[in-house]
Amino acid sequence: MAKGIREREFQNLMIQWSLPMGWGFTAGRSLPRETTQTVVAGQLRDAIVRLNPGVIDGFDVDAVVDEIVATVNAVEGGLVRANEQVLRLLRGRKEFRDADGVWHALKVIDFAHPTANKLVVSDEVTITVPGKTSRRFDLVYWVNGLPLVVVEVKSPTAKSGWVNAAREINRVYATEYPWFFTPNVFAVASDGLKLRFGAVGAPTNLWQPFRSTADDENLSGQADVRRSVELLMNPATILDLLANFALFDTSGGGADKKYLPRYPQMEAAHLIHERVLEGGSKGLIWHHQGSGKTLLMVFAASLLLADTRTESPTIILLSDRTQLVRQTSGVFTSAMGDAYFHQPATSQELRSLLADDVRGVISTTVHKFADAGKNLSTRDNIIVLVDEAHRTQSAKSKSLAGQMRAALPRAKFFGMTGTPVRNLATDTFALFGEETDPDRVLHRYSVSRSLLDEATVPVMLDPHPVSFEIDDQALQAEFDQFADEFDLDDPDREALSRKFGRLTSVFANPDRIHTVCQDIVDHYLAGTYRNGLKAQVVAYNRELAVAYTDKINGLLAGFEASQVLAEVGRHGRITAEVNISVSDSKDEDPAMRPFQLSEADEEEQKRRFLSPDDPLCFLVVTAKLMTGFDAPNEGVLYLDKPLKAHTLFQTITRPNRTWVSPSGFVKTSGVVVDYIGLAEEVQRAVVDPTSTGADKGGGFVTDLSELVAEFRTTFARIEDLLVDVDGLDLTVHGYESVRAINAFLDANPGTAVVFTKDYRLLARLYPLINTDKRVAKYRDGFGLFGSVYTTLFKKSSDEERKERLGELGPMVLEIINAHVHSFSVVASQEEPLVLDAQGIAILKELLALVRPKPGKGGEDKTPPSAAEILDHIKAALEKGVEPGSAKYTALAERIKQLRDRIIQNSQDALEFLAEALRVARAIVDAEKHPDEAVVVLDDDHVGVLSRIILDHAPAGLTVTERNLAEEIDQVVSRTLTRSWDNADARNRGARRATAAVFRRYMLKPVGEPYDSTVAYIEAHYLVD
């Protein structure tokens, strides 16, 4: 069929753009080859003679060419394996035998000098054999007579676009003439407005643009395509991809695969390589979740191993999950064989490998470095590539990461993360970031670039808030009657109310479970299922994950679900399964044991979930599989668990992977159905932390001097408060001093409240600065204040009373359930909040507008309320827009309407946020100061244990001679370094250790601050 005129025009443009890069043009019909031939044999022969001086004289060159052509034309074993063998030959790794019987590796391509090769671009290249339909390739890029790149072009005005061009390459050309693609590095599909490249045969969702992170993100259309051609079709880029980045997994155990890099992976891998050659010791790679950080590690390792200047390095691929370790094995086994790839099964095996100076790749987890000792290997060409570098990585010497660094004191460390953490316990920037790198980041691939590149898809936040009614008076009356019958005193009543009046009681209400699960099933069957996508459900805890699974399966077996299944015709029955951590410990809840999965069981469950034909459509979790589980066919995540900061960000990006169904459905967005009301939390979670301090946009306290100054100021306030205490000596920490202060506080109403507030701030600051010499003189006074604080509250230690209250708990829960009813899911009338590039930018602007710099007075910072946001927006309006102007009047009226609207409907956070975003954006635009720096405060990342414990402290919390937070940190660290049978057992052990510390301080391991402490530990210490 004749090509359309626009299509031919674009082919000619690509040729014109290619010529300045060193390509010469030869029309396809003028190539010195028969249409049955894959290789331009004369050009190949000339190149072999030219590139092998001093060696080639001993060869029959024509025989060598014939052998290469025969290898190119052989496709037994499939195209991927044939492609791997031919590229190995092109890389100069195949030896040929000369006339004297001596074997030599011959150069086929000059990689060091790309333009020294014979470079030809041809249009309308025909291939044919007798008995087959002739095919014509739009463009072919030849290097030394070998067709390394094939381009298929569609008209810019055609509806088919680049996707059909890619499918034509896969389904027609490569199927009918596979031998033409055995030398292929990559193929290109373009419609003139978009350009994508990919491995021949790869699904279209794996075909990617080729750009530069240094370029303008807003480049589009023909300008974008031209830039892509200039970058991708540069001979140096093609040969770089051929020599260093086209990797294969043909080691068995699954379908053969070819991996090509995304451009940010290629850029970052080269930067790591260069940093190592320069003698640098570290670097931070910050790439958006879902953009392929694990594969980036593989590309970087391959690049380092292939360079003789690195002197046979040892590359450690470090992850915190054994699944990620397994993902990397096939690539290296294919590339290097088993001898150069190591997966130690135990800590002892890892130590032996390092002590024995083994070279190549070691793929392992950080937990195997426990008790590794110091100076296990002092070589400086050990390079550690750390996946998910914000997890399990700490500078503390006793942490697993600290033990790893002590064992490898001269190693180089490169961290890969999509959510770097900077708080008072973990600082990804300081640990991996080089000070000379901009913002301490060696390479950055942002959320917005990932979305524009379609490497990930936008996530839509769809709020489904759960409303309910509660009969307060009836509930209180029945509870009082119950308490009277059991002769409970006030402390007992308070303890039961606090324990069973928590969020867990509402979540566990049977009516709520039914309501939420019914909404999940209805929502899934209405859209997601029909597109062949699957779903993940995040429940509040393990027990609820099991309950949700049972309820969802019951609903899926009902008549309404069967009607939808029959209509779609894909499955006769679909199911849900639970995936939770269950340990082998004797203390494990017997009710949880049936849900324990072996490693093999879990892998099989994931395989079934990833299979479009398998009826497993729901995975119900509470902590596992929320990070690190790559499921492109996950279309929706049902979120019914409160989350914060980077944990929330990682969770809501689960559905952001690209996917094309077997029937051709293209996933264009993921959905998070939010039953909690996390709109404002999402607003904070999408804001990037930076390497700088609180005054420069990160919102994290980092300057020790500021902490010392805050401690001194607070201490002075307490001194001033107690100035009238007769004979008080702060250096004397004894009974008389404590009694004198207590007497003063009792005699002066209100002073105890002031003292308590300031002391809690001191206690929060002290563990962070107690080694600083500037606070040494305050230690006695701080200890005295702690004793006073302790005596202000009374605590019960009656074990019999605790047991009695535990027995009464289920009865209290029944009372609560009887009076909490009428659960319903409220469907939002607003459009979902789309977390695309523009949405994220607006969220950042709003956060910068409404969250000012932290004050110096030590007040606890809390997220702004709806009313506070409006006040800050109004203040920004009055500052930035001239009063009395038409624009001022219009915006002021919008703020007034928004305030009225919020008063009438304060429960709908998303409705408020949507309008607030629009107003805030209008004000930001009106100010017309685009170059002015903004300061972003995000206290939610400040998650150090001491702050959590003190911020959530119930009445009666004591902080005595040993700091509770410090002890928890030490106990958890010691627990994690022990040898465990599996990760589940280790995680349960850490939780039990935390509970033991709480009990030692006479604090209950339920409610606050225990719940928040465990949540922090799970986010920063534990792994799935």
Side-chain angles (χ1 to χ4, degrees), residues 847-884:
L847 197 63
L849 187 66
V850 304
R851 304 197 73 182
K853 294 182 181 180
K856 299 295 185 180
E859 303 92 347
D860 288 345
K861 297 297 180 182
T862 57
S865 66
E868 288 172 335
I869 289 177
L870 290 176
D871 289 341
H872 284 298
I873 291 175
K874 187 172 185 297
L877 171 65
E878 292 171 347
K879 178 181 177 182
V881 183
E882 183 179 352

Side-chain angles (χ1 to χ4, degrees), residues 414-485:
F414 294 88
M416 322 288 154
T417 182
T419 51
V421 175
R422 184 175 179 83
N423 57 36
L424 297 177
T426 303
D427 191 340
T428 317
F429 295 99
L431 200 57
F432 292 96
E434 185 65 62
E435 290 184 6
T436 55
D437 291 331
D439 292 328
R440 286 200 167 190
V441 177
L442 178 59
H443 191 263
R444 177 77 194 278
Y445 184 54
S446 65
V447 177
S448 56
R449 281 195 184 276
S450 175
L451 292 169
L452 290 170
D453 290 342
E454 298 174 356
T456 55
V457 298
V459 174
M460 302 176 68
L461 185 69
D462 188 5
H464 286 207
V466 183
S467 68
F468 62 92
E469 297 177 10
I470 181 167
D471 300 329
D472 292 332
Q473 293 182 349
L475 172 59
Q476 187 63 51
E478 186 166 346
F479 178 77
D480 289 342
Q481 181 180 350
F482 167 85
D484 290 341
E485 290 174 356

